[in-house]
Amino acid sequence: MKHFTTLLSLVLFLSSCGTNGSGSEAENSVEEIVPITFETAFRQSYGPRVSQIPDTLALGYYWGMTRAQTNTHEKELVQSKKVHYEKWDDRYTYTMPLTHFDESGNQTKNYSFVVSSVHYNDTLKVLNLLLSSWGRAGLYTMEDLYKEFGPVFESKGYLCKAVSPEESMRVDPKYGLRAAAWVGTEYRFVKDNTLIRLWRGTEWPKDLVISYYDMSVVYKEQRDIAAKEEEAAKKAAAENAAREEQKKDYLRDF
């Protein structure tokens, strides 16, 4: 009986150890899982390229395009009649039907976006689609734009964040993003190195813009700017130090 009691105690002890061990492993595995949020994905996007596969953007644009490739692509879009070139103000427009959200219901109308691009070191950095406030487009709101495109971007794996008007109005020098010119909530989507902003433009209060940013290019640009500023500061400090030494030499004559 004594041996049985001892054996039973040993079995219970080993069982307890096994249970505690598996429990701690489970707890550790849970602790190691870091939930992917917009903030963590955005911090990852602002840096070296995450994926070597170019992300395809609106209208067939893609990251890595040079100015020449962008110009060629624009001409191809015009030839295929997907976009229209307006000679009078040298711009490209893309017309598409959007749902007009108002009290009368969801009525679909055609709206024209002005398409433009920004490059850095001959590499596509920003693609803009601006919905001008002129005409009936002025009735469209930022919330309307989010209702139309939010589900599309999220279905493609983008994480979304609504940015407060106060935050949107501030320039963040670290991430090289322009501040919004007009008060209002904006929406941001991020995946890999792509950041998409639904925000108000800089020309008229009711302009709405969809901007695609290649954050790996923005990252490189900001690093280059910081390096130039640091070099300029060092040069200014050296020149000032040289003047101070020269001043000391002249003061010795008095």
Side-chain angles (χ1 to χ4, degrees):
M1 186 70 177
K2 180 178 180 181
H3 293 296
F4 176 79
T5 304
T6 304
L7 182 60
L8 180 60
S9 301
L10 180 60
V11 170
L12 291 175
F13 173 77
L14 292 175
S15 300
S16 175
C17 289
T19 303
N20 292 337
S22 61
S24 60
E25 288 177 4
E27 291 173 1
N28 290 338
S29 63
V30 171
E31 292 176 357
E32 291 173 359
I33 296 176
V34 179
I36 299 176
T37 64
F38 176 91
E39 285 72 17
T40 57
F42 178 74
R43 285 195 294 269
Q44 185 184 29
S45 74
Y46 182 74
R49 181 155 294 285
V50 175
S51 173
Q52 296 303 316
I53 301 176
D55 289 332
T56 302
L57 314 174
L59 297 174
Y61 288 85
Y62 59 89
W63 293 137
M65 297 180 82
T66 63
R67 291 181 186 274
Q69 289 174 324
T70 301
N71 292 336
T72 300
H73 186 66
E74 288 173 344
K75 293 177 182 178
E76 291 174 350
L77 289 173
V78 172
Q79 291 175 353
S80 64
K81 297 183 179 181
K82 286 187 176 181
V83 303
H84 304 279
Y85 175 66
E86 298 180 357
K87 187 175 181 180
W88 66 277
D89 60 353
D90 189 28
R91 70 180 191 177
Y92 296 90
T93 61
Y94 174 66
T95 302
M96 70 175 298
L98 296 177
T99 300
H100 182 71
F101 298 92
D102 55 20
E103 294 181 357
S104 64
N106 298 340
Q107 183 179 0
T108 299
K109 299 179 181 179
N110 290 336
Y111 293 88
S112 293
F113 289 87
V114 177
V115 184
S116 64
S117 57
V118 181
H119 293 74
Y120 176 71
N121 278 357
D122 201 29
T123 304
L124 181 62
K125 181 183 74 170
V126 184
L127 175 66
N128 294 313
L129 288 85
L130 183 147
L131 184 62
S132 175
S133 60
W134 290 101
R136 63 187 181 189
L139 301 174
Y140 217 64
T141 68
M142 181 60 65
E143 287 69 28
D144 294 340
L145 201 66
Y146 172 72
K147 289 177 184 177
E148 289 279 8
F149 292 96
V152 175
F153 296 141
E154 291 176 0
S155 68
K156 294 182 179 180
Y158 286 88
L159 297 175
C160 178
K161 177 184 179 181
V163 179
S164 67
E166 294 76 15
E167 184 179 354
S168 181
M169 293 286 284
R170 291 196 299 268
V171 175
D172 191 334
K174 178 180 179 182
Y175 298 116
L177 300 179
R178 294 176 63 185
W182 310 102
V183 175
T185 299
E186 74 169 74
Y187 299 91
R188 297 181 183 180
F189 303 83
V190 65
K191 184 182 73 170
D192 295 334
N193 289 105
T194 301
L195 173 70
I196 304 175
R197 297 176 70 189
L198 307 185
W199 61 304
R200 293 191 178 277
T202 58
E203 299 299 328
W204 300 95
K206 292 184 180 180
D207 282 352
L208 305 178
V209 188
I210 304 175
S211 293
Y212 294 76
Y213 294 80
D214 185 338
M215 295 306 289
S216 68
V217 178
V218 175
Y219 169 74
K220 186 179 186 307
E221 179 185 36
Q222 293 304 304
R223 284 172 63 92
D224 291 346
I225 291 174
K228 290 180 180 178
E229 291 177 347
E230 184 179 358
E231 184 64 26
K234 288 181 179 179
K235 182 179 179 181
E239 292 175 348
N240 187 62
R243 284 192 295 269
E244 288 297 318
E245 288 299 322
Q246 187 180 40
K247 176 182 175 181
K248 290 178 182 178
D249 289 339
Y250 280 107
L251 289 176
R252 293 189 186 98
D253 295 333
F254 287 86

